Amino acid sequence: VARGHAIVAATAALSAAFTAANGLMVVPAVMLLLALAGRRREAVVWAIAGAMLFAWYFIGYETPAGRMSVVDVLRDPLRLATFGLATLGGIGDTYVPSVMLGATIAAAWLALLVTGAWRRVPPAVVAAMLFFALTCAAIALGRAALGAQAVTLSRYRVYSASAILLTLAAVVPLLRPKQGTVALAVVAVLAACVHVVGGMSSMPYMIELSSLQRAARDQYAFDGRGFFLGFPDVEFGAFTLQRARDIGAYHGARHGS
């Protein structure tokens, strides 16, 4: 987009939109990037095309049975906003730390906006941050009905990590050299602590899961049937073991403990 290759940009946006749901958020990011570059006519074109793309994507969508509809979720905006912050700060692992971290990220960008310092932030950084913020908002909207744990799943933490890096990319260059060095040093220490604490807290679960899976394989080796608690369910677990045997990846008699 920045180099004027409209066809390439449109093709990439379409590919993103129909690869994963958050690919749709590329369009608002492009609109912001064009607006910041003063290319408002192109931004309007992308806005119109983006609206059509959003509508196209959701043709035929139906709320899954037994789940709150989007309209019902929107009726509690405070809860939804809190879930959005938890997703944005999801690298915090549990709900409360994630909300606090998400609020810190949001506060940093609010400060950049209020002080006008955002004008000195590279437009690509601002647009990318919008992409990840909208992604987290979409996750919160789609999974709020499933409870707090649903928005802090490990699969979403890459968005949180990216948001933190973009926030640092926006804030640190605005500081004095010594302040920036100190800020990066503090962040590096905090990141190391989070890494260690996160690994220690998740290890018992990983050991338990590994033990359960090994026991399931041993049961399969003994009588051709596995047992499954939680995930995977019985049907999927049995299919996986059967498929593994069929393609020669696992033979119970050989690999059972």
Side-chain angles (χ1 to χ4, degrees), residues 44-192:
V44 170
V45 172
W46 274 84
I48 296 172
M52 295 170 62
L53 189 61
F54 269 74
W56 186 15
Y57 186 88
F58 286 103
I59 288 175
Y61 172 79
E62 295 180 5
T63 302
R67 179 151 346 151
M68 292 171 60
S69 67
V70 171
V71 175
D72 292 330
V73 172
L74 290 173
R75 286 174 181 164
D76 192 351
L78 181 58
R79 181 171 180 265
L80 180 59
T82 306
F83 277 20
L85 291 176
T87 311
L88 188 62
I91 203 169
D93 189 23
T94 55
Y95 185 68
V96 173
S98 294
V99 172
M100 294 174 63
L101 186 55
T104 301
I105 296 171
W109 282 94
L110 183 61
L112 290 172
L113 181 64
V114 171
T115 61
W118 65 272
R119 294 186 180 88
R120 291 188 285 158
V121 178
V125 173
V126 180
M129 185 62 205
L130 177 65
F131 170 79
F132 288 111
L134 289 174
T135 294
C136 291
I139 292 170
L141 182 62
R143 301 189 67 84
L146 302 177
Q149 289 185 334
V151 297
T152 55
L153 294 173
S154 59
R155 74 184 75 169
Y156 299 136
R157 290 175 194 164
V158 64
Y159 304 129
S160 177
S162 299
I164 291 172
L165 291 173
L166 287 166
T167 303
L168 289 172
V171 173
V172 172
L174 302 179
L175 302 174
R176 295 175 181 175
K178 288 185 178 180
Q179 292 175 329
T181 302
V182 172
L184 287 176
V186 170
V187 168
V189 172
L190 287 174

Side-chain angles (χ1 to χ4, degrees), residues 185-202:
V186 170
V187 168
V189 172
L190 287 174
C193 291
V194 168
H195 179 69
V196 172
V197 172
M200 292 175 65
S201 64
S202 63

Side-chain angles (χ1 to χ4, degrees), residues 211-255:
S211 299
L212 284 171
Q213 290 179 336
R214 182 177 292 117
R217 292 198 302 270
D218 289 345
Q219 180 72 20
Y220 177 74
F222 179 70
D223 65 2
R225 294 178 300 171
F227 72 90
F228 307 94
L229 302 174
F231 178 83
D233 58 29
V234 174
E235 184 178 6
F236 183 75
F239 166 79
T240 302
L241 289 172
Q242 179 70 33
R243 183 70 180 135
R245 189 188 69 180
D246 291 345
I247 65 175
Y250 176 75
H251 293 280
R254 283 212 310 260
H255 296 108

